[in-house]
Amino acid sequence: MVRELLGLTQSELALKLSVAQPTVAYIEGGYLQPSEELLSSICKCTGFPHSFFEQIEITQFPYGSLLYRSRTAIDASEKTRASRYGQFMFEVAEKLSEKLRPRHFIFSRGRTDAVSAARIARSQL
C-alpha cells in the first residue's frame, strides 16, 4: 500500500532498498517477513514509522465508493495511487473516530450547553 501511495513501482522501491524486485513482491504478498534491517530501510525510504508496518488489524475500505470523473482521463497507476490514498485516509479517519466516540465523554446529568460540552470534550481528549 505504501509503495503505491508513493507512486513507486516494485522495481523502483527494490532499487532504493538494494534488494531484488521479487523480494518486494513477496513482502507485499505476505509470503516474506522483512528483517529488522530491511524494515528500517523501508521506513527510512518511505517516511512511515515502524508502527505503521506492524499493524495487524486491517480496516476494510469501501472501494465501491471511489468515483472518477472520466475513466479515460486517469491511467492505471494514478488510479491505484488514488485508491491507496483513499484507503489510507479512510484508515486514519477510522482510528480517529475510535478515539472520539461519544461514550468517552462524560457529561454531568441534565442539560449541558454547547460551550460547556465542548470544554468538557476538550478536557477529556
Side-chain angles (χ1 to χ4, degrees):
M1 175 177 133
V2 170
R3 174 187 60 78
E4 293 171 326
L5 182 62
L6 296 173
L8 298 171
T9 64
Q10 287 182 345
S11 297
E12 290 169 337
L13 182 58
L15 185 64
K16 289 180 181 230
L17 297 173
S18 300
V19 298
Q21 178 273 328
T23 302
V24 174
Y26 286 142
I27 291 170
E28 288 182 356
Y31 301 110
L32 177 68
Q33 282 287 10
S35 65
E36 279 299 316
E37 183 182 332
L38 182 55
L39 182 57
S40 292
S41 295
I42 292 169
C43 293
K44 184 178 177 184
C45 180
T46 62
F48 283 77
H50 275 256
S51 60
F52 179 84
F53 297 102
E54 294 168 351
Q55 293 181 66
I56 296 173
E57 184 179 319
I58 297 176
T59 306
Q60 292 299 319
F61 178 62
Y63 284 102
S65 63
L66 293 175
L67 302 173
Y68 301 96
R69 293 183 119 186
S70 172
R71 294 180 191 265
T72 58
I74 186 170
D75 68 19
S77 65
E78 289 176 298
K79 195 172 187 178
T80 299
R81 189 172 183 189
S83 296
R84 292 300 183 206
Y85 186 75
Q87 181 180 9
F88 181 69
M89 289 295 106
F90 182 78
E91 289 178 13
V92 168
E94 284 289 307
K95 296 274 187 212
L96 288 174
S97 70
E98 289 172 9
K99 296 191 182 301
L100 299 175
R101 297 254 192 265
R103 69 176 184 275
H104 293 297
F105 303 115
I106 300 170
F107 298 104
S108 59
R109 293 197 181 263
R111 296 203 172 255
T112 303
D113 65 285
V115 173
S116 297
R119 188 176 307 117
I120 292 168
R122 281 192 298 274
S123 71
Q124 292 184 15
L125 286 174

